[in-house]
Amino acid sequence: MARREHSDIEAVGIRARIGEMFYASGLLPPLQKLRALVRDDLRILAYHRILDIPDTDAFEFDLELISADADGFRAQLGLLKRRFQPLPLGEMVDALVSGRRLPKNAVAVTFDDGYEDNYRVAYPILRELGVPATFFVSTGHIDSGQPFAYDWLVHMILRTGALRLKLPELNLDVPIPPSRSARRLFAADLLRHIKAFDSALQMAAIMRMEQEWDMPRSASSPDCRPMSWKQLREMHASGFEIGSHGVSHQMLAKLPDDRLHGELKQSKATLERELHVTAPFLAYPVGGDLAFDHRVINATKAAGYAAACSYVYGTNRRTSWNQFSLNRLPVEREMGTGWFAAMLTLPEFMGYPIKNLTTNISDTACSS
Ligand SMILES: [Zn+2]
């Protein structure tokens, strides 16, 4: 675990420094022009949460879901307006489907999950600067107001007084490290481990932790609250797109057929009922290679969606784009404006280092 921690931090640090150097050098605008001559592609940014956290160590939820603080987000949007062409995702998809040309340097801004800070922090800044955005929300969480399961898992690991994590159904019986920083890494490893299992096992394991450690999700927390329908209606009335992120934020590829179809159809119907519009877009929950496949794509088409975003890193070339597997560029908390600008300009080289999908949490585990 320590080795990966070190190499991850090193890779992030190196890329941040290179990004800032590129930005300060003034080379990015000419490189952007040069790249546009040889590469005709569309960029879609993926955000989760926009939040100011004065003390990151004291924050009791998943820091990896914080994409930027308010000032950083404002600076990123400023750069988008100066150097790129922000467009609604719907306009981008319509143009791709119809073959219509889009402005060079088109960028769409998207948000996943539906955290309350999207309304409280991101929405006023987007509106003030006139940048369009699409918010993908998990409708069951908007209905219930309950925190997201994966974020609650991180919360439980950070807060528990238990000394060991025992989840025999996931082949885990491991000590929980004492320090908060070590627990964050442990929780990140646990998330990667758990996401390899089918959805029912994942949810059963999380619910068991809630019960055994007496930390029910229903206890909720102001730091991990979803938006309300009232807030989403206001955002939609202001011109922002609201799309589906499933009902209960489960990995669709890990669900049996009936549950898969239920998540897709029910979330779409709920959005249409609550917002009185068609909801043509989906972002696959989790969204990486493990989260969607051909079966999920076929079910997405059958449920009536016009396009779907993945969480696979990359841009979308006009010649080879897939409207049911749109690549995105995730924005991460460690990105300053320089790195952000460098990623948008040179996405092939300047993305956030891909997180290791394998896990070593079970290296020390005892099989049940
Ligand atoms: Zn999500």
Side-chain angles (χ1 to χ4, degrees):
M1 192 179 281
R3 252 201 326 275
R4 210 194 68 233
E5 173 195 359
H6 183 68
S7 63
D8 277 1
I9 290 169
E10 209 168 63
V12 166
I14 290 169
R15 220 157 290 196
R17 284 198 296 279
I18 295 172
E20 296 302 331
M21 270 165 47
F22 261 128
Y23 188 55
S25 73
L27 280 172
L28 288 177
L31 282 170
Q32 186 178 338
K33 280 197 180 122
L34 204 61
R35 185 180 179 278
L37 295 175
V38 293
R39 182 70 45 98
D40 186 12
D41 55 359
L42 299 168
R43 302 160 171 92
I44 305 172
L45 291 169
Y47 288 90
H48 279 99
R49 309 189 67 179
I50 307 296
L51 203 54
D52 290 329
I53 303 177
D55 180 359
T56 50
D57 196 45
F59 188 63
E60 293 187 338
F61 290 90
D62 191 354
L63 281 172
E64 294 193 15
L65 293 172
I66 314 292
S67 308
D69 61 21
D71 287 345
F73 183 60
R74 180 184 289 278
Q76 290 171 2
L77 295 191
L79 184 121
L80 273 190
K81 288 194 72 176
R82 284 196 307 278
R83 297 247 322 270
F84 293 85
Q85 181 74 44
L87 285 180
L89 180 67
E91 205 172 312
M92 209 179 248
V93 171
D94 283 349
L96 283 167
V97 170
S98 65
R100 187 161 44 84
R101 286 210 74 74
L102 279 166
K104 273 196 191 325
N105 299 311
V107 180
V109 173
T110 67
F111 285 80
D112 280 6
D113 294 349
Y115 279 94
E116 185 262 352
D117 48 79
N118 289 184
Y119 172 81
R120 188 165 42 84
V121 186
Y123 164 58
I125 300 173
L126 286 158
R127 206 172 37 167
E128 180 194 327
L129 298 183
V131 174
T134 303
F135 295 86
F136 293 108
V137 303
S138 298
T139 57
H141 288 275
I142 308 298
D143 284 337
S144 71
Q146 286 210 3
F148 299 89
Y150 297 134
D151 208 356
W152 197 254
L153 178 148
V154 173
H155 177 68
M156 288 191 288
I157 293 291
L158 292 176
R159 289 289 309 271
T160 185
L163 299 176
R164 293 189 76 81
L165 174 67
K166 295 180 184 178
L167 295 171
E169 62 270 54
L170 305 185
N171 298 326
L172 283 180
D173 182 354
V174 287
I176 298 171
S179 78
R180 181 157 281 199
S181 57
R183 284 188 181 202
R184 282 200 192 280
L185 292 166
F186 179 84
D189 263 348
L190 176 59
L191 278 176
R192 280 185 279 271
H193 180 82
I194 207 172
K195 284 174 182 174
F197 291 85
D198 78 45
S199 198
L201 271 177
Q202 293 184 26
M203 294 307 134
I206 293 171
M207 280 175 65
R208 193 135 80 84
M209 290 163 70
E210 290 179 46
Q211 281 164 6
E212 287 186 6
W213 293 348
D214 193 22
M215 300 173 82
R217 245 192 295 169
S218 55
S220 196
S221 160
D223 286 339
C224 185
R225 188 182 285 156
M227 286 184 278
S228 68
W229 286 117
K230 184 168 178 280
Q231 291 167 337
L232 285 164
R233 275 192 280 273
E234 181 189 327
M235 292 159 81
H236 183 258
S238 301
F240 292 92
E241 291 171 332
I242 315 294
S244 166
H245 199 42
V247 176
S248 52
H249 200 272
Q250 297 193 44
M251 294 167 74
L252 299 177
K254 304 287 182 187
L255 290 171
D257 281 346
D258 57 337
R259 299 276 319 280
L260 164 63
H261 291 288
E263 285 276 330
L264 292 168
K265 286 180 186 164
Q266 195 187 321
S267 59
K268 192 170 191 299
T270 303
L271 284 170
E272 292 174 354
R273 189 186 65 233
E274 294 289 344
L275 303 174
H276 306 294
V277 285
T278 54
F281 305 125
L282 169 80
Y284 302 114
V286 183
D289 289 344
L290 297 174
F292 74 106
D293 53 21
H294 284 300
R295 184 179 68 103
V296 172
I297 289 176
N298 287 335
T300 302
K301 290 178 190 170
Y305 291 96
C309 291
S310 74
Y311 211 72
V312 173
Y313 180 85
T315 60
N316 302 282
R317 288 203 206 184
R318 210 180 293 266
T319 48
S320 58
W321 73 295
N322 179 344
Q323 74 199 78
F324 290 97
S325 177
L326 292 168
N327 297 324
R328 291 190 286 176
L329 305 173
V331 183
E332 305 286 348
R333 191 169 52 94
E334 295 91 339
M335 281 183 185
T337 311
W339 186 359
F340 176 81
M343 175 179 73
L344 276 167
T345 307
L346 303 167
E348 290 80 2
F349 309 109
M350 290 305 299
Y352 195 84
I354 299 296
K355 292 185 176 80
N356 195 349
L357 284 176
T358 58
T359 172
N360 54 7
I361 196 167
S362 55
D363 287 355
T364 51
C366 311
S367 292
S368 59

Short mmCIF file of all heavy atoms in Angstrom, two decimals, residues 156-205:
data_model
loop_
_atom_site.label_atom_id
_atom_site.label_comp_id
_atom_site.label_asym_id
_atom_site.label_seq_id
_atom_site.Cartn_x
_atom_site.Cartn_y
_atom_site.Cartn_z
N MET A 156 -17.55 5.64 7.14
CA MET A 156 -17.52 4.63 8.21
C MET A 156 -16.09 4.21 8.53
O MET A 156 -15.73 4.05 9.70
CB MET A 156 -18.37 3.41 7.82
CG MET A 156 -19.86 3.69 7.84
SD MET A 156 -20.86 2.19 7.70
CE MET A 156 -20.62 1.74 5.99
N ILE A 157 -15.29 4.02 7.49
CA ILE A 157 -13.89 3.63 7.72
C ILE A 157 -13.14 4.73 8.48
O ILE A 157 -12.35 4.46 9.38
CB ILE A 157 -13.18 3.32 6.37
CG1 ILE A 157 -13.77 2.07 5.72
CG2 ILE A 157 -11.66 3.18 6.56
CD1 ILE A 157 -13.49 0.77 6.44
N LEU A 158 -13.41 5.99 8.13
CA LEU A 158 -12.72 7.10 8.80
C LEU A 158 -13.13 7.22 10.27
O LEU A 158 -12.34 7.63 11.11
CB LEU A 158 -13.00 8.43 8.07
CG LEU A 158 -12.41 8.58 6.67
CD1 LEU A 158 -12.86 9.89 6.04
CD2 LEU A 158 -10.88 8.52 6.69
N ARG A 159 -14.38 6.86 10.58
CA ARG A 159 -14.93 7.14 11.91
C ARG A 159 -14.97 5.94 12.85
O ARG A 159 -15.10 6.13 14.06
CB ARG A 159 -16.37 7.66 11.76
CG ARG A 159 -16.49 9.06 11.19
CD ARG A 159 -16.02 10.12 12.17
NE ARG A 159 -16.63 9.99 13.48
CZ ARG A 159 -17.80 10.57 13.84
NH1 ARG A 159 -18.43 11.32 12.98
NH2 ARG A 159 -18.28 10.40 15.06
N THR A 160 -14.93 4.73 12.32
CA THR A 160 -15.22 3.57 13.17
C THR A 160 -14.21 3.39 14.31
O THR A 160 -13.02 3.71 14.16
CB THR A 160 -15.28 2.27 12.33
OG1 THR A 160 -15.68 1.20 13.20
CG2 THR A 160 -13.93 1.92 11.72
N GLY A 161 -14.70 2.86 15.41
CA GLY A 161 -13.83 2.49 16.51
C GLY A 161 -13.36 1.04 16.38
O GLY A 161 -12.55 0.57 17.19
N ALA A 162 -13.88 0.32 15.39
CA ALA A 162 -13.50 -1.10 15.21
C ALA A 162 -12.03 -1.20 14.82
O ALA A 162 -11.49 -0.31 14.16
CB ALA A 162 -14.38 -1.73 14.13
N LEU A 163 -11.42 -2.29 15.23
CA LEU A 163 -9.99 -2.47 14.92
C LEU A 163 -9.78 -3.29 13.65
O LEU A 163 -8.72 -3.24 13.04
CB LEU A 163 -9.30 -3.18 16.09
CG LEU A 163 -9.35 -2.42 17.43
CD1 LEU A 163 -8.73 -3.24 18.55
CD2 LEU A 163 -8.63 -1.07 17.30
N ARG A 164 -10.79 -4.09 13.28
CA ARG A 164 -10.66 -4.92 12.07
C ARG A 164 -11.90 -4.75 11.19
O ARG A 164 -13.00 -4.47 11.69
CB ARG A 164 -10.53 -6.41 12.44
CG ARG A 164 -9.23 -6.76 13.15
CD ARG A 164 -9.08 -8.26 13.28
NE ARG A 164 -8.69 -8.91 12.02
CZ ARG A 164 -7.44 -8.95 11.56
NH1 ARG A 164 -6.46 -8.39 12.23
NH2 ARG A 164 -7.18 -9.57 10.42
N LEU A 165 -11.69 -4.94 9.91
CA LEU A 165 -12.80 -4.99 8.96
C LEU A 165 -13.01 -6.45 8.59
O LEU A 165 -12.12 -7.09 8.02
CB LEU A 165 -12.46 -4.17 7.71
CG LEU A 165 -13.49 -4.27 6.57
CD1 LEU A 165 -14.81 -3.63 6.97
CD2 LEU A 165 -12.95 -3.60 5.31
N LYS A 166 -14.19 -6.98 8.95
CA LYS A 166 -14.47 -8.39 8.66
C LYS A 166 -15.67 -8.47 7.72
O LYS A 166 -16.80 -8.19 8.11
CB LYS A 166 -14.79 -9.14 9.95
CG LYS A 166 -13.61 -9.21 10.91
CD LYS A 166 -13.99 -9.97 12.17
CE LYS A 166 -12.82 -9.93 13.15
NZ LYS A 166 -13.10 -10.60 14.41
N LEU A 167 -15.37 -8.80 6.47
CA LEU A 167 -16.44 -8.97 5.47
C LEU A 167 -16.19 -10.30 4.75
O LEU A 167 -15.60 -10.34 3.68
CB LEU A 167 -16.43 -7.81 4.46
CG LEU A 167 -16.76 -6.42 5.01
CD1 LEU A 167 -16.51 -5.35 3.95
CD2 LEU A 167 -18.21 -6.36 5.50
N PRO A 168 -16.62 -11.41 5.38
CA PRO A 168 -16.32 -12.72 4.79
C PRO A 168 -16.86 -12.89 3.37
O PRO A 168 -16.24 -13.55 2.54
CB PRO A 168 -16.96 -13.72 5.76
CG PRO A 168 -17.80 -12.92 6.69
CD PRO A 168 -17.32 -11.51 6.66
N GLU A 169 -18.01 -12.23 3.08
CA GLU A 169 -18.58 -12.37 1.74
C GLU A 169 -17.67 -11.75 0.68
O GLU A 169 -17.77 -12.05 -0.50
CB GLU A 169 -19.99 -11.77 1.67
CG GLU A 169 -20.10 -10.27 1.96
CD GLU A 169 -20.32 -9.96 3.44
OE1 GLU A 169 -19.51 -10.43 4.26
OE2 GLU A 169 -21.28 -9.25 3.74
N LEU A 170 -16.76 -10.87 1.09
CA LEU A 170 -15.82 -10.26 0.15
C LEU A 170 -14.39 -10.74 0.43
O LEU A 170 -13.41 -10.11 0.00
CB LEU A 170 -15.85 -8.72 0.28
CG LEU A 170 -17.21 -8.03 0.11
CD1 LEU A 170 -17.05 -6.52 0.15
CD2 LEU A 170 -17.89 -8.44 -1.19
N ASN A 171 -14.28 -11.85 1.15
CA ASN A 171 -12.97 -12.44 1.49
C ASN A 171 -12.06 -11.47 2.22
O ASN A 171 -10.86 -11.40 1.97
CB ASN A 171 -12.24 -12.93 0.22
CG ASN A 171 -13.02 -14.01 -0.48
OD1 ASN A 171 -13.69 -14.82 0.18
ND2 ASN A 171 -12.94 -14.03 -1.79
N LEU A 172 -12.63 -10.71 3.13
CA LEU A 172 -11.82 -9.72 3.84
C LEU A 172 -11.87 -9.92 5.35
O LEU A 172 -12.95 -10.09 5.93
CB LEU A 172 -12.34 -8.30 3.53
CG LEU A 172 -11.99 -7.69 2.19
CD1 LEU A 172 -12.58 -6.29 2.09
CD2 LEU A 172 -10.48 -7.62 1.99
N ASP A 173 -10.71 -9.92 5.94
CA ASP A 173 -10.58 -9.85 7.41
C ASP A 173 -9.24 -9.17 7.64
O ASP A 173 -8.19 -9.82 7.68
CB ASP A 173 -10.63 -11.26 8.02
CG ASP A 173 -10.55 -11.21 9.53
OD1 ASP A 173 -10.33 -10.09 10.09
OD2 ASP A 173 -10.66 -12.26 10.17
N VAL A 174 -9.27 -7.86 7.73
CA VAL A 174 -8.02 -7.08 7.74
C VAL A 174 -8.04 -6.04 8.86
O VAL A 174 -9.11 -5.53 9.23
CB VAL A 174 -7.80 -6.36 6.39
CG1 VAL A 174 -7.39 -7.32 5.30
CG2 VAL A 174 -9.04 -5.60 5.98
N PRO A 175 -6.86 -5.70 9.40
CA PRO A 175 -6.83 -4.64 10.42
C PRO A 175 -7.11 -3.27 9.80
O PRO A 175 -6.74 -3.02 8.66
CB PRO A 175 -5.40 -4.72 10.96
CG PRO A 175 -4.60 -5.38 9.90
CD PRO A 175 -5.53 -6.27 9.14
N ILE A 176 -7.79 -2.42 10.56
CA ILE A 176 -8.05 -1.04 10.10
C ILE A 176 -6.93 -0.16 10.65
O ILE A 176 -6.69 -0.15 11.86
CB ILE A 176 -9.43 -0.56 10.59
CG1 ILE A 176 -10.52 -1.45 10.00
CG2 ILE A 176 -9.65 0.91 10.23
CD1 ILE A 176 -11.90 -1.21 10.57
N PRO A 177 -6.24 0.57 9.80
CA PRO A 177 -5.11 1.37 10.30
C PRO A 177 -5.59 2.46 11.25
O PRO A 177 -6.72 2.92 11.15
CB PRO A 177 -4.50 1.96 9.02
CG PRO A 177 -5.50 1.78 7.96
CD PRO A 177 -6.45 0.70 8.35
N PRO A 178 -4.71 2.88 12.16
CA PRO A 178 -5.14 3.85 13.18
C PRO A 178 -5.27 5.29 12.67
O PRO A 178 -6.19 6.00 13.06
CB PRO A 178 -4.05 3.76 14.25
CG PRO A 178 -2.88 3.12 13.59
CD PRO A 178 -3.38 2.33 12.42
N SER A 179 -4.37 5.74 11.80
CA SER A 179 -4.38 7.18 11.46
C SER A 179 -5.40 7.48 10.37
O SER A 179 -5.73 6.63 9.55
CB SER A 179 -2.99 7.63 11.01
OG SER A 179 -2.76 7.23 9.68
N ARG A 180 -5.86 8.72 10.37
CA ARG A 180 -6.86 9.11 9.38
C ARG A 180 -6.29 9.06 7.96
O ARG A 180 -6.96 8.63 7.02
CB ARG A 180 -7.39 10.50 9.70
CG ARG A 180 -8.45 10.91 8.72
CD ARG A 180 -9.37 11.96 9.26
NE ARG A 180 -10.38 11.40 10.14
CZ ARG A 180 -11.51 12.02 10.46
NH1 ARG A 180 -11.77 13.18 9.98
NH2 ARG A 180 -12.38 11.45 11.26
N SER A 181 -5.05 9.49 7.78
CA SER A 181 -4.47 9.50 6.42
C SER A 181 -4.34 8.05 5.91
O SER A 181 -4.63 7.77 4.75
CB SER A 181 -3.13 10.21 6.40
OG SER A 181 -2.24 9.60 7.30
N ALA A 182 -3.93 7.13 6.80
CA ALA A 182 -3.83 5.73 6.38
C ALA A 182 -5.22 5.15 6.12
O ALA A 182 -5.40 4.33 5.22
CB ALA A 182 -3.11 4.92 7.45
N ARG A 183 -6.20 5.60 6.89
CA ARG A 183 -7.57 5.11 6.67
C ARG A 183 -8.13 5.58 5.32
O ARG A 183 -8.90 4.89 4.68
CB ARG A 183 -8.49 5.57 7.81
CG ARG A 183 -8.27 4.77 9.07
CD ARG A 183 -9.31 5.09 10.11
NE ARG A 183 -9.05 4.32 11.33
CZ ARG A 183 -9.95 4.03 12.25
NH1 ARG A 183 -11.18 4.47 12.11
NH2 ARG A 183 -9.64 3.33 13.31
N ARG A 184 -7.74 6.79 4.89
CA ARG A 184 -8.20 7.24 3.57
C ARG A 184 -7.68 6.32 2.47
O ARG A 184 -8.41 5.96 1.55
CB ARG A 184 -7.70 8.67 3.30
CG ARG A 184 -8.49 9.71 4.00
CD ARG A 184 -8.34 11.09 3.38
NE ARG A 184 -8.89 12.08 4.28
CZ ARG A 184 -10.19 12.35 4.39
NH1 ARG A 184 -11.06 11.73 3.63
NH2 ARG A 184 -10.62 13.27 5.24
N LEU A 185 -6.42 5.93 2.57
CA LEU A 185 -5.85 5.03 1.56
C LEU A 185 -6.50 3.65 1.66
O LEU A 185 -6.79 3.01 0.65
CB LEU A 185 -4.34 4.91 1.76
CG LEU A 185 -3.57 6.20 1.45
CD1 LEU A 185 -2.15 6.11 1.99
CD2 LEU A 185 -3.54 6.44 -0.05
N PHE A 186 -6.72 3.21 2.88
CA PHE A 186 -7.37 1.93 3.12
C PHE A 186 -8.78 1.94 2.50
O PHE A 186 -9.19 1.00 1.83
CB PHE A 186 -7.45 1.70 4.64
CG PHE A 186 -8.12 0.43 5.06
CD1 PHE A 186 -7.42 -0.77 5.11
CD2 PHE A 186 -9.46 0.42 5.42
CE1 PHE A 186 -8.03 -1.95 5.51
CE2 PHE A 186 -10.08 -0.76 5.81
CZ PHE A 186 -9.37 -1.94 5.86
N ALA A 187 -9.52 3.03 2.71
CA ALA A 187 -10.88 3.15 2.17
C ALA A 187 -10.84 3.15 0.64
O ALA A 187 -11.70 2.53 -0.01
CB ALA A 187 -11.55 4.41 2.69
N ALA A 188 -9.85 3.83 0.06
CA ALA A 188 -9.75 3.87 -1.42
C ALA A 188 -9.49 2.46 -1.95
O ALA A 188 -10.07 2.05 -2.96
CB ALA A 188 -8.63 4.82 -1.84
N ASP A 189 -8.62 1.72 -1.27
CA ASP A 189 -8.35 0.34 -1.67
C ASP A 189 -9.60 -0.53 -1.51
O ASP A 189 -9.90 -1.36 -2.35
CB ASP A 189 -7.23 -0.24 -0.80
CG ASP A 189 -5.88 -0.14 -1.49
OD1 ASP A 189 -5.86 0.16 -2.70
OD2 ASP A 189 -4.85 -0.36 -0.81
N LEU A 190 -10.31 -0.30 -0.40
CA LEU A 190 -11.53 -1.09 -0.15
C LEU A 190 -12.56 -0.83 -1.26
O LEU A 190 -13.21 -1.76 -1.74
CB LEU A 190 -12.10 -0.71 1.22
CG LEU A 190 -13.42 -1.36 1.62
CD1 LEU A 190 -13.30 -2.88 1.63
CD2 LEU A 190 -13.89 -0.85 2.99
N LEU A 191 -12.69 0.43 -1.67
CA LEU A 191 -13.63 0.76 -2.75
C LEU A 191 -13.26 0.03 -4.03
O LEU A 191 -14.12 -0.52 -4.73
CB LEU A 191 -13.66 2.27 -3.00
CG LEU A 191 -14.54 3.10 -2.07
CD1 LEU A 191 -14.39 4.57 -2.39
CD2 LEU A 191 -16.01 2.68 -2.20
N ARG A 192 -11.97 0.02 -4.36
CA ARG A 192 -11.55 -0.67 -5.58
C ARG A 192 -11.83 -2.17 -5.46
O ARG A 192 -12.25 -2.81 -6.41
CB ARG A 192 -10.06 -0.43 -5.85
CG ARG A 192 -9.80 0.91 -6.51
CD ARG A 192 -8.33 1.07 -6.89
NE ARG A 192 -7.54 1.47 -5.75
CZ ARG A 192 -7.32 2.74 -5.41
NH1 ARG A 192 -7.82 3.72 -6.13
NH2 ARG A 192 -6.59 3.04 -4.36
N HIS A 193 -11.60 -2.72 -4.26
CA HIS A 193 -11.83 -4.15 -4.03
C HIS A 193 -13.32 -4.49 -4.17
O HIS A 193 -13.70 -5.41 -4.88
CB HIS A 193 -11.34 -4.51 -2.62
CG HIS A 193 -11.51 -5.94 -2.25
ND1 HIS A 193 -10.62 -6.93 -2.65
CD2 HIS A 193 -12.48 -6.58 -1.54
CE1 HIS A 193 -11.04 -8.10 -2.17
NE2 HIS A 193 -12.16 -7.91 -1.50
N ILE A 194 -14.15 -3.70 -3.53
CA ILE A 194 -15.58 -4.00 -3.45
C ILE A 194 -16.24 -3.90 -4.83
O ILE A 194 -17.19 -4.62 -5.14
CB ILE A 194 -16.25 -3.05 -2.41
CG1 ILE A 194 -17.49 -3.69 -1.81
CG2 ILE A 194 -16.58 -1.71 -2.96
CD1 ILE A 194 -18.06 -2.87 -0.64
N LYS A 195 -15.72 -3.00 -5.67
CA LYS A 195 -16.36 -2.76 -6.97
C LYS A 195 -16.17 -3.91 -7.95
O LYS A 195 -16.76 -3.91 -9.04
CB LYS A 195 -15.85 -1.44 -7.58
CG LYS A 195 -16.46 -0.23 -6.89
CD LYS A 195 -15.86 1.08 -7.37
CE LYS A 195 -16.48 2.26 -6.61
NZ LYS A 195 -15.84 3.54 -6.93
N ALA A 196 -15.37 -4.88 -7.58
CA ALA A 196 -15.22 -6.06 -8.45
C ALA A 196 -16.36 -7.05 -8.24
O ALA A 196 -16.56 -7.95 -9.05
CB ALA A 196 -13.88 -6.72 -8.16
N PHE A 197 -17.13 -6.89 -7.15
CA PHE A 197 -18.17 -7.87 -6.83
C PHE A 197 -19.52 -7.44 -7.41
O PHE A 197 -19.69 -6.28 -7.79
CB PHE A 197 -18.29 -8.01 -5.30
CG PHE A 197 -17.09 -8.68 -4.69
CD1 PHE A 197 -15.97 -7.94 -4.35
CD2 PHE A 197 -17.08 -10.05 -4.48
CE1 PHE A 197 -14.85 -8.54 -3.80
CE2 PHE A 197 -15.96 -10.67 -3.92
CZ PHE A 197 -14.85 -9.92 -3.58
N ASP A 198 -20.47 -8.39 -7.44
CA ASP A 198 -21.76 -8.00 -7.98
C ASP A 198 -22.45 -7.05 -7.00
O ASP A 198 -22.10 -6.97 -5.82
CB ASP A 198 -22.61 -9.21 -8.38
CG ASP A 198 -23.26 -9.90 -7.21
OD1 ASP A 198 -23.80 -9.22 -6.34
OD2 ASP A 198 -23.20 -11.14 -7.16
N SER A 199 -23.42 -6.32 -7.54
CA SER A 199 -23.97 -5.20 -6.80
C SER A 199 -24.64 -5.61 -5.49
O SER A 199 -24.52 -4.92 -4.47
CB SER A 199 -24.97 -4.47 -7.69
OG SER A 199 -25.20 -3.21 -7.20
N ALA A 200 -25.33 -6.76 -5.50
CA ALA A 200 -26.02 -7.20 -4.29
C ALA A 200 -25.02 -7.45 -3.16
O ALA A 200 -25.25 -7.07 -2.01
CB ALA A 200 -26.83 -8.46 -4.58
N LEU A 201 -23.88 -8.06 -3.49
CA LEU A 201 -22.84 -8.31 -2.49
C LEU A 201 -22.26 -7.00 -1.97
O LEU A 201 -22.02 -6.83 -0.78
CB LEU A 201 -21.72 -9.16 -3.08
CG LEU A 201 -21.86 -10.68 -2.99
CD1 LEU A 201 -20.70 -11.36 -3.69
CD2 LEU A 201 -21.92 -11.12 -1.53
N GLN A 202 -22.02 -6.07 -2.90
CA GLN A 202 -21.48 -4.76 -2.50
C GLN A 202 -22.39 -4.09 -1.48
O GLN A 202 -21.96 -3.63 -0.43
CB GLN A 202 -21.37 -3.84 -3.72
CG GLN A 202 -20.35 -4.24 -4.75
CD GLN A 202 -20.25 -3.19 -5.86
OE1 GLN A 202 -20.54 -2.02 -5.66
NE2 GLN A 202 -19.82 -3.60 -7.04
N MET A 203 -23.69 -4.04 -1.83
CA MET A 203 -24.64 -3.32 -0.97
C MET A 203 -24.83 -4.05 0.36
O MET A 203 -24.97 -3.43 1.42
CB MET A 203 -25.98 -3.12 -1.69
CG MET A 203 -25.88 -2.20 -2.90
SD MET A 203 -25.12 -0.58 -2.50
CE MET A 203 -23.96 -0.39 -3.84
N ALA A 204 -24.84 -5.40 0.30
CA ALA A 204 -25.00 -6.18 1.54
C ALA A 204 -23.82 -5.93 2.47
O ALA A 204 -24.00 -5.78 3.69
CB ALA A 204 -25.11 -7.67 1.20
N ALA A 205 -22.61 -5.84 1.91
CA ALA A 205 -21.42 -5.63 2.73
C ALA A 205 -21.49 -4.24 3.39
O ALA A 205 -21.20 -4.09 4.58
CB ALA A 205 -20.17 -5.76 1.87
#
